[in-house]
Amino acid sequence: MMEKDSALQLAAAIAAGKLTAVEAAKQAFERIKATAGLNAVLPGGEESALAGAERVQREIERRLSAGEELPPLAGVPIIIKDNICVRGFKATCASKMLQGWMPPYDASVVRRLREHLLVPLAKSNMDEFAMGALGENSAFGAIKNPLDIQRSAGGSSGGSAAAVAAGLTLLALGSDTGGSLRLPAAYCGITAVKPTYGVVSRYGLIAFASSLEQIGPMARSAGECAALLDVIRGRDERDATSRDMEEVCIKKDMRQVKIGLVRELMDMAQLSADMRRAVEHTAGLFRALGAQVKEISLPQVKDAARAYFIISSAEASSNLARFDGVRFGLRADSTQNAEELMLHSRSQGFGREVKKRILLGTYALSAGYYDKYYLRARQAAERLKAAVNAALEEVDVLLMPSAPGVAPLLGADADEAGVYEADVFTVPANLTGLPAVSFPCAEGENGLPLGAQLMGREGSERQLLACVQAFEDLSDGQGKTQ
Amino acid sequence: MRGYETVIGLEVHVELDAGSKIFCGCRPQFGAPPNTIVCPVCLGLPGALPVLNRGAAEKGIAAALALGCRVNRVSAFDRKNYFYPDLPKGYQITQFFRPLAEDGSLCCTREDGTVFSVGIERIHLEEDAGKLVYDDEGRTLVDYNRCGVPLIEIVTRPDIRSGQDAACFVSALRRVLKEAGVSPCRMQMGELRVDVNLSVRKKDSQALNTRTEMKNLGSIKAVARAAQYEAERQIGVIEQGGSVLQQTLGWDEELQRNYIMRTKEDAQDYRYFPEPDLGPLVVEKEWIESVKRSLPETAAQRAERLKVQFDLREDTAQMLAEDEECTAYFEQVIASGANARMAANLITGELKRLCRQAGERPGSGRIPAAELAELTRMAGQKIITLSAAKGTVLEEMFASRAGAMEVAGRLGLIKTGQEEPLDDLIYRVLQENGDAVRKYVDGNKKTLGFLMGQLMRLSGGRIDPAEAQQRLIRQINREV
C-alpha cells in the first residue's frame, strides 16, 4: 500500500481515519518480518512500539474530537538507529559491549518524535559504534542492500537506509559522523540530511566523535526529510552544543541559485567513471533549471580524510572509555581486580574496527604526539572550513559525489586505506560543521543508484532541500536514467 | 634547618556551594545513601551530555575575585583521560589549557603578627569523581553520589617556605572562601582538600629542585606536619649524598609519616584534549561586576576601607580587618564615640594580646564596645593616663568585666585635679635621692630608671610616664 506513498500522505490517511497508527505499526512489523534477511532491523521492542502506537492513536483521536490540529507526521512509524536511546528499546550500538542494555531515558530527538506523535517502531542495525562505511562491522551481522542483497547497504546508518529503501517504514533516523547518513543513503537510493552541527540535539546519541556528528533524517524524498527535520531540530537545554539556527534565505527559483562543482573531488582517482558522469549530468539538470554552475577549487579537501580519521579516532578513544564493564554492558567473568575487569571487558566487548580506532585515537592524543597529530588535524579542519566558507561566498551550494560509485559488493576485500579514502566526499561536511543532503541522482551499473550531495552554508538545510526538491520534480518528469 | 630552605606550592580542591552538580541538576547532599544522588549525566550513561551549571561558574568567579585573580573572558573545558572505577566516563572534565582565572595572591598573617603573601597561579573548574567503598566481605563498591560535584582547583605559586606557613595559608584561604560564600570549606567533609608540592634547596639558592607531592591532606594540622616531616626527610636524603625522587605521597595520620603512593615511572599520560561537548565559558565584564556586587567585603577590601575612613596605619587596618567580627567590634567602638586611632591601637595591640592569652578573639565582646570607647575618652581627656588605660585598667576590665570608670576608680588611677603638681613631685624625688642624681650626672644613665620608679610611686600611677620622664630630665639638667 505505501510503496508510492509519502510519510505525509500516510499521516493524512491516519488523520482521515482510513488507518490507525496501530495498524500502520503492525503493517510495518509484517514487512520487517518478511525482510528479516536484510538484517536491517534489530529484533526486540515490538511491545513497546505497539504500546507507543496505541498511545499515539488515542492522542490523535482526542485531538481530532477536540477539533485540534494534528502535527504533520502524526501516527507515522519511524525506525531509529541503534546508537540513539529510546525508552523501551535496547540500545546496543550493534556491539557486544552493550548487548541487552536498556537506556533509562529517551534521546532528545526521540522526545520530540513523541511530542509530534510519531511512533518509534524499531531499532536499526549499524556498524559497531557507528564506525564503518559498509554496514559490515556489526556484532549482529552485515546489513544487506535491499536493491541487491549481494551488496553493502553502506554505513554506518546502513540499517536505517536499507529499511527506508525496502519500504519497511517511510522514515528513519540515522547519525552522521563522517558520512554515515549520506553514504548508505547513496547506496540505497534514498535521501538523507546531515544537518548543520548543533541544529539537532545529540543528547541520547551514544557518542562516537562528539565534535563531528549529528542525527539526521532519512526518507525517500526531500519533502519528507524536511518534515522530519522540522520535528527534531532546535536548541535543547540538555546539549550545550545545540542551538536554534536562523534559516538562511531560501531561493526556490533555481535561476537564482549558484552551484559550485569542486574540481579536486571530481578529479579523485577513486571516483568511478559513472559517478563522475552522474554528477556532471546532475549539474546539467540544475543548469537546465536555470541555475548557474561553476567550477570551484578546494585543494584543502585532500587533507580532509586524514584529519577526519585522527580527530574522530581521538574523540572515540575518550568517548568509549566509559564502556569498562563497571556500571553497564558486558562485564568479563572471573577477573581479579578492577584493572583486569576493565581490560578484559573491553577486550571481549569491542570488535576489531572499534579497537583499532581506540588505539589510534589514544596514540594521537598521547604526550608528544598531541601536537603532531591531533592539533595538526584540527588545524587542517580549520583551514578547510575557512576555504569552504570562502567558496560559499561565491556560490550558494556545492555539488559533490556522495560516494565513489554504486554500493560495493559485501565482503569485497577492499584495502582498508581505500575504504577510509572513500570518506573524502563526505567528511568535509563534518569537519566544517556545514549541512549536506545526499540524494539519488542517477543510476549506475546494474541499475544501482548513485548518490550526489549538496553542501551549503550554516543553517541552509531548507535551501539544500529546496534544490533537491527541484531536482526531484524535474527528474521525475524525465525519468532518472541518464 | 641546617642552611636549607623549604619550597612549597599547594593545589587546593574546594567544593563549590552551587546547589547542584556542575554538569547536571543533581543536588549534592553529604551523607546521602550511596548512589541515590545520580542521574544519566553524572553516571556517564551512554548518550548523556554535560551542560555547565552557571551557578558553579559563578562561585568559581567569586573565588577568583576574592583571591584577586584575573578572570579570563574566555576559558574552556578539557578532558583528562584515565581509567578508574570511580570515574564513570573514563575522563574527568576539567580546565587544563584555558583556566577560569589566573594571577592572584593571598596575604596571610602568622600567629606572631608577621605577614607573608602567596601568589595564586590559576583557578580552574572541574568535576569531582566518585568514591570507592570497601565492605565487610572485602569487596570494593563504588558510590557515585560525589561524581560531578563542582570543584575549583586553586594552584599557588611555590611561595611558601614552611609547613607552618602552608597551614597558615590554608586557614587564610578557608576564611576568604567562606566569607565570599564560595564554600563552607569543611575539611572533615572533604569540602577542602590540599595537595602539597614540596622541595628543599640550599638557603641562598634559587633553584627549584625535584619535588614530591603529598595528596589529599584532610586537615590543617596534617598539612603542617606532613610538610615538616617531608622537608626533614628530603634534607636527610640530600645530606646523606642521595637525591630526592619524584614521588606522590600520602600522609598517614596515625603513624604521623608519609608513605609512597606512586613514583614517576608510573606517572599517567592523561591525554588532555578540548572537551567537545561543551562550548567555551565566556565571562563578560557585566557578569564579573554582578558577582562582585554580590560578594561580601573581603578582608583586603575592609582593610583598605578602614585605612581610608579612619586614617589608620596600613598594618593596623589589616589586623582589624582580619576577621569580620573584629572589624564590626571596632566599628561599634567608634560608633560609641571613641577616638579611632587610639581604639584601633588598643584593639590590635593590648586587647588582642589579652584575648590571645585567654584563647578568645578581640571581637568576642568581653569588653562592651561602649566601655572600650569610654576608656579611650578617659585617656583622651587625661582623666587617666594613657599608660594606665593600656595597662592595668584594660587588664582589670578584661579580667573582671567591669566598666572603665569603675576599674579606674577602684585602682585609684583617676586624676582628681588636686594632686601634687608634677614639678613638685620631681622636686621631692631629686631632693630625696641626691646620690642617684649625681651618678646620673656623672654618666650612669641607668639611675634614671630608678628615679622614674620613685616618681611613679610617689604619684600613685596617676602621671603620664613619658611626660614625667621628659620633665625629670629637663629638671636635672637645669639643676646641674
Side-chain angles (χ1 to χ4, degrees), chain A residues 85 98 101 104-105 197 202-207 210-211 237-241 314-315 317-319 321-324 326-328 338 342 346 362 365-367 370 374, chain B residues 39-41 43-52 78-79 81-91 97 142 144 269-279:
Chain A
C85 294
L98 274 178
W101 185 65
Y105 64 99
Y197 187 77
R202 291 183 294 113
Y203 188 81
L205 168 68
I206 300 175
S210 319
S211 74
E237 58 174 20
R238 288 184 174 84
D239 176 0
T241 63
E315 290 183 12
S317 74
S318 176
N319 281 331
R322 68 188 64 194
F323 303 103
D324 56 8
V326 175
R327 290 161 308 280
F328 45 75
M342 293 192 261
R346 289 169 69 77
T362 303
L365 289 176
S366 298
Y370 177 85
Y374 182 80
Chain B
C39 74
V41 176
L43 278 179
L45 290 191
L49 295 174
V51 175
L52 177 66
D78 304 292
R79 291 186 185 177
N81 296 285
Y82 63 97
F83 287 97
Y84 203 67
D86 71 3
L87 190 70
K89 297 189 295 295
Y91 55 85
F97 295 111
V142 201
Y144 292 103
D269 178 357
Y270 291 118
R271 292 175 283 120
Y272 289 100
F273 77 103
E275 165 58 277
D277 288 330
L278 293 165

Side-chain angles (χ1 to χ4, degrees), chain B residues 266-432:
Chain B
D266 26 69
Q268 301 224 29
D269 178 357
Y270 291 118
R271 292 175 283 120
Y272 289 100
F273 77 103
E275 165 58 277
D277 288 330
L278 293 165
L281 170 57
V282 180
V283 184
E284 300 289 3
K285 264 207 186 93
E286 296 73 40
W287 195 9
I288 297 178
E289 288 308 316
S290 87
V291 176
K292 230 179 234 173
R293 279 193 298 276
S294 70
L295 278 184
E297 199 177 26
T298 65
Q301 287 165 338
R302 265 204 308 278
E304 185 59 28
R305 177 172 63 79
L306 294 177
K307 191 181 111 178
V308 172
Q309 194 176 340
F310 300 109
D311 191 24
L312 302 177
R313 277 174 39 180
E314 178 121 22
D315 54 349
T316 312
Q318 269 179 20
M319 280 192 271
L320 280 176
E322 235 169 50
D323 76 287
E324 275 177 290
E325 218 177 44
C326 182
T327 307
Y329 179 65
F330 170 71
E331 290 181 314
Q332 283 166 28
V333 173
I334 300 297
S336 308
N339 170 295
R341 281 195 167 190
M342 201 189 289
N345 289 335
L346 272 175
I347 293 170
T348 58
E350 290 72 17
L351 181 58
K352 196 175 174 191
R353 185 176 49 78
L354 288 169
C355 286
R356 190 159 49 218
Q357 286 161 0
E360 286 180 21
R361 284 147 58 117
S364 64
R366 186 198 278 249
I367 297 181
E371 287 304 327
L372 197 73
E374 172 69 4
L375 183 66
T376 65
R377 188 188 62 80
M378 287 161 64
Q381 294 177 0
K382 299 197 186 297
I383 294 170
I384 54 175
T385 66
L386 182 59
S387 68
K390 283 156 70 170
T392 43
V393 179
L394 187 69
E395 275 166 34
E396 187 54 25
M397 286 169 75
F398 191 82
S400 69
R401 296 173 190 260
M405 191 58 91
E406 187 199 326
V407 169
R410 202 194 312 146
L411 297 177
L413 292 172
I414 297 172
K415 294 189 199 175
T416 57
Q418 280 140 39
E419 295 92 356
E420 214 175 337
L422 180 58
D423 286 339
D424 293 357
L425 287 172
I426 291 173
Y427 182 74
R428 270 171 63 191
V429 169
L430 295 183
Q431 287 297 310
E432 289 166 16

